[in-house]
DNA sequence: ACCTGAACACCGTTCAAGT
DNA sequence: ACCTGAACACCGTTCAAGT
C-alpha cells in the first residue's frame, strides 16, 4: 500500500490551481459574489494567502478562471450536433448558458464584467464556437457568419444578464409572480407622458415566462438570419 | 445683492445628491471603476464621508444613480421620433447607448451589474421606452411588443458590453488594428478539432468595424421582427 | 518548488459629536 | 437638518522566512 507516491492524483491535500478554482466556484455558489474572499478561501483550503498567490496571480484572474470553468462545463453538455435541427441546436446552447446562469447567479455579473474588460478572452471563442456551428448548419453563406453569430451571442449574453436575478426565487424569499406583479404595477404608475410604451407593455411583462421569452427572442433573430440569408431552394 | 438667500441654486458649496452623483461620474470617467472611492469623493467635494452618507445610502446606490444619470442623458438626445423611419429611430437609440458606453467605459460593466442585480430598476423602463416606440411605429401588433422590444434591448446591452473595451483606444495605448490582428491570430491558433468555426471566422473578426457590426445586428433583428410580423399591405 | 502567516495599505461604513 | 472626522471591521496583496 502507498507504494511509490507516483501519482497522488486523489490526494485532497495537494494545492493546485484547479482545486483553488473549484473552491472559488463553491464559495461563489454558496455565498454569492461577496462570499469569495481570500480569507474564506484560505479557510476552506486550509492554507495561507501566499499559497494561493503561488498558483493564481490575482483575485480577478481567479474570477476569470471560475467563469471560464463554469461556461466550459455548461457548453460541454450536449455533444454538439446532437439536436435535430440547427435551430434546435442553437436553442440548446443558448438554454445551456441560460441555465448555467440560473444555477450560478454570480455568473451573469461576472460574464459581463469579464467580457467588457477582456472581450476576447477564452470565454468568447468558446461561446462563438458553439453558436457558430449552428449558424453554419443553418446555411448562412460564409460572409455572414461573423455578423450572425455575433448577433446571437450578444443577445444571449444580454438576455442572460437581465434574467439572472429572476431565478427560481432562491434566496430572495419573494414569490416570482408577486414580484413581477409589483414591477408591473410600478411600470403602470409611470408618467403617462414620458412612458406610454412601458405602461402599455406592463401587462405583458407581468405574465411573461423568462425561458419562453428568451427562446422567442432567439426565434426572432433566427427568423432575421433566414430572411437576410434565404436558404437555397 | 444677496438679498434673501431664498434660492441658493448656483452655490457650488451646497452638498446635494445631484452634486455627489455628478462628482462620481467625473471620477469614474477620469480614473475608471477603481477610481470611485469615498476617499476620492470626499477629497473632491471637500467633506467627510458622513456628509455623503447623509445624501446617499451606499456606494452601490451611488453607482446606480450615476448609471441612471448617464443613461438618461444618452437617451435624451434625439427628440423621439425625429429620425425618418422607425428603423432609423431604433438605430439612433441603439447608437446613442453605444456611444455613451464608448465615452464612459465603466458604464458597460456597471449597466450589466445593475441590470443583473436589479433588472427592473429605473434604467430598464427608460431603455424599453425608447426602443419600444420604434417597435410600435414599425407596425408590430400589440401582442408582440414585449418580445420584440426585449430582444432588441437584450441585444443592445449584450453588444454594448462586449464592445466597450474596443473604444477609441483611449488609455490602452495599443492600436486597435494591431490589437484585433493579434486576437485574430490567437483564434487562428486554436485547436482545429475544437474550434473549427472560430478559426474560420477569425479573418472576418480581424477586419470588423464595431459600429457597423453593431448596426448589422440591429438590422438582423429588425428583419426578423418584420418577417414574424409582416406589415399590413 | 511550494507554502506559511504576519504585516501593509486601503476600502466602505458607522456614529458620537458638533452646528 | 446637515455635516465632521476619528474609528472599525474587513479586504487584496506582499514578502521575509521556512521546508
Amino acid at each position: 500500500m502507498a507504494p511509490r507516491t507516483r501519482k497522488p492524483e486523489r490526494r485532497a491535500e495537494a494545492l493546485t490551481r484547479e482545486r483553488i478554482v473549484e473552491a472559488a466556484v463553491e464559495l461563489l455558489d454558496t455565498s454569492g459574489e461577496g462570499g469569495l474572499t481570500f480569507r474564506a478561501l484560505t479557510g476552506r483550503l486550509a492554507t495561507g494567502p501566499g499559497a494561493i498567490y503561488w498558483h493564481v496571480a490575482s483575485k480577478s484572474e481567479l474570477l476569470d478562471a471560475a467563469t471560464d470553468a463554469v461556461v466550459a462545463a455548461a457548453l460541454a453538455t450536449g455533444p454538439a450536433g446532437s439536436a435535430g435541427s440547427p435551430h434546435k441546436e442553437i436553442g440548446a446552447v443558448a438554454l445551456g448558458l441560460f441555465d448555467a446562469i440560473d444555477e450560478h447567479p454570480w455568473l451573469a455579473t461576472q460574464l459581463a464584467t469579464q467580457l467588457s474588460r477582456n472581450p476576447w478572452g477564452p470565454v468568447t471563442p468558446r461561446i462563438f464556437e458553439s453558436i457558430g456551428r449552428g449558424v453554419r448548419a443553418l446555411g448562412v453563406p460564409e460572409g455572414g457568419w461573423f455578423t450572425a453569430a455575433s448577433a446571437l451571442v450578444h443577445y444571449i449574453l444580454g438576455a442572460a444578464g437581465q434574467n439572472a436575478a429572476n431565478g427560481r426565487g432562491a434566496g430572495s424569499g419573494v414569490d416570482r409572480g408577486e414580484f413581477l406583479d409589483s414591477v408591473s404595477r410600478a411600470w403602470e404608475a409611470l408618467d403617462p407622458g414620458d412612458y406610454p410604451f412601458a405602461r402599455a407593455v406592463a401587462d405583458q411583462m407581468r405574465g411573461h415566462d423568462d425561458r419562453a421569452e428568451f427562446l422567442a427572442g432567439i426565434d426572432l433573430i433566427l427568423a432575421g438570419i433566414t430572411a437576410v440569408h434565404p436558404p437555397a431552394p
Side-chain angles (χ1 to χ4, degrees), chain A residues 19-188:
Chain A
R19 260 180 45 87
I20 296 173
V21 171
E22 201 181 317
V25 170
E26 286 170 18
L27 270 170
L28 287 164
D29 287 347
T30 311
S31 1
E33 326 223 5
L36 179 60
T37 66
F38 276 83
R39 261 82 170 170
L41 215 45
T42 54
R44 192 178 255 268
L45 293 169
T47 41
I52 293 172
Y53 275 96
W54 178 261
H55 297 275
V56 154
S58 66
K59 184 178 181 180
S60 81
E61 191 195 289
L62 180 54
L63 276 166
D64 285 359
T67 303
D68 192 47
V70 171
V71 168
L75 294 176
T77 64
S82 59
S85 64
H87 191 118
K88 277 187 188 168
E89 190 176 334
I90 290 173
V93 171
L95 271 186
L97 281 170
F98 191 87
D99 289 340
I101 289 177
D102 207 60
E103 279 179 59
H104 312 278
W106 52 272
L107 190 59
T109 305
Q110 189 48 35
L111 255 179
T113 312
Q114 178 174 351
L115 288 183
S116 56
R117 200 179 2 152
N118 177 23
W120 305 106
V123 171
T124 309
R126 259 193 226 290
I127 303 181
F128 243 82
E129 186 65 34
S130 299
I131 292 296
R133 293 181 188 198
V135 166
R136 184 160 51 180
L138 222 45
V140 175
E142 181 158 2
W145 286 358
F146 183 69
T147 300
S150 292
L152 282 164
V153 170
H154 291 153
Y155 167 77
I156 290 168
L157 293 175
Q162 169 87 342
N163 285 324
N166 296 351
R168 307 187 212 292
S172 77
V174 182
D175 174 62
R176 175 183 144 78
E178 257 179 72
F179 174 67
L180 279 188
D181 198 63
S182 76
V183 175
S184 176
R185 269 199 303 273
W187 283 31
E188 276 162 354

